[in-house]
Every structure is written in structure tokens, then in C-alpha cells.
Amino acid sequence: MLLNEYIEKFSLYDYPVFSKDDQACRALRLLAMQGRSCAPVLDDGKPVGLVTLAALLANDGAGEAGSLPLSSFPLDPITTAGPHEHLLDVFNNGAGTHGDILAVVDHAGDFHAVVEKSLLAVEVASLFHLRAGECVTIELDVPASGVKLSEIVAVFEKNDAYVTAFGTRQSPVDNDSIIVCFRVRTHDHYRLITNLDKYGYRVRYVSPEAGSADDELREKALEFIRFMDM
């Protein structure tokens, strides 16, 4: 899955883009008119940073300093993405960076378009079936050693459940445990959770079953089963 599969779908060609020689007052006016918080700044066709509305206002971009070029103002780093890069790598690289956009560049590094990070997040959510209604979320607390994820997946499959995605993290309270979070398609929510409990897996969280009015009763039943097994 390459980013260029999404270029035409997500690229914004009418997004404000500025040269480093553009006056600050022009950038401020266009950002305010279009309701944008930031925009790419180019030098010889290549993105060199993000100009933000906050920086322009803080540095008198609307006053006497408005006639100064954008190169005189502080620019935030800008995340770029090439057409050869994978969607997940681009999302990961841009997730913790400044601004809500990234600049799409060609192989030579020349600016092509703007993509909003939020749109990439929607695609990632779709890829991992994170949208509500598609699947249920099941989180297990398992030993950090001696447990194979393939064995847990096999338990799901024995119960006619299909694992669409999963992730792991260290337990926040026990260094000898890890938390495994699954996104699962299942036709029998209650049977799956009951059997996981019978197999000895500690269920930390389960999505409420859609359309069910007795989730609370079922949770109490599971608690009773755990109590009887103690």
C-alpha cells in the first residue's frame, strides 16, 4: 500500500502555499480567510517549513512586521512524504510532528500537494478495522513469556472469531505481563468471552455488544465464573 494510491483522493491543491519571500501580511490574510492554522513555505519549490497563524500573530505579522518576508519569521518543521513511502510509515513519521498537514513531494523533493494528517488517520483506522461497528475490541492480560500470540489467535478461530488486527504493550502494573489488544469479528460475542475465560485468559476489556440490553448481566455472570474458579 503506497502513499501514491491516496494522492488523488486526499491531496489538497487549493491549500495555501507560500514562498519564503512572500510578505507575512499576505500569509496572515490568506490563512485567516481560509481558516487554516498553518501552511507550507517553499524555497525554490521545496518545502522548508510551516508558517503558523500563531507565529505570525505573536511576531506582529499584521503590523509593521507584516511587510517582512516569511523567512524573517520562525518556521515550524514540516513533515514530507514521497510517493514511494508506505501509508503507515508516513503516518508514524508525521504523528508526533508540528502542524496538522504534511507536504507531498516528488522524488526530487519538489512540492506536489498538501495532505491533512486527519485523513491519513482515517485510512489507518480503516486498515486496522478500528471504526465502531466493524469489530469488537478485546484486551487480554497475558504473561510476558511462555504465551504465543498464534495460540491466542487459534482460540479465537476455534470460536468462529476472526482477528482483523492486534497490538501489544507492556502492562502498566506488572513487568511480567503484557497487554494484547485485538480487533475481532465474531457472531457470538458472549460465547467467545466465556470460552476465553475458560481457557484461563484474563480479559481486561471487551467492547459492549451492539444491540444487547443485558451486557451488565453477562459481566456479572463472568465475574461469578471467575470467583468460582478461584
Side-chain angles (χ1 to χ4, degrees), residues 140-180:
L140 305 179
D141 188 342
V142 301
S145 61
V147 174
K148 296 180 180 179
L149 289 177
S150 58
E151 294 175 348
I152 304 176
V153 172
V155 172
F156 282 114
E157 292 175 345
K158 287 178 182 178
N159 287 273
D160 299 322
Y162 173 63
V163 176
T164 60
F166 71 89
T168 64
R169 63 185 176 92
Q170 179 66 47
S171 170
V173 296
D174 185 356
N175 292 332
D176 294 327
S177 297
I178 59 173
I179 308 303
V180 189

Side-chain angles (χ1 to χ4, degrees), residues 5-43:
E5 297 173 10
Y6 299 94
I7 290 295
E8 293 304 321
K9 182 178 179 182
F10 292 145
S11 290
L12 300 175
Y13 296 99
D14 58 349
Y15 199 98
V17 180
F18 304 105
S19 163
K20 68 181 182 66
D21 297 322
D22 281 336
Q23 290 184 330
C25 58
R26 175 176 179 269
L28 182 61
R29 182 172 62 254
L30 286 177
L31 288 174
M33 287 176 57
Q34 296 192 26
R36 304 293 186 181
S37 63
C38 61
V41 176
L42 309 183
D43 182 10

Side-chain angles (χ1 to χ4, degrees), residues 24-25 28 56-57 59-66:
C25 58
L28 182 61
L56 291 174
L57 292 172
N59 291 275
D60 196 30
E64 293 182 2

Side-chain angles (χ1 to χ4, degrees), residues 186-195 209 217-219 221-222 225:
T186 177
H187 296 293
D188 195 337
H189 191 159
Y190 181 60
R191 174 194 169 210
L192 174 61
I193 302 306
T194 301
N195 286 341
E209 187 173 2
L217 182 60
R218 291 180 176 180
E219 286 298 323
L222 286 176
I225 291 172

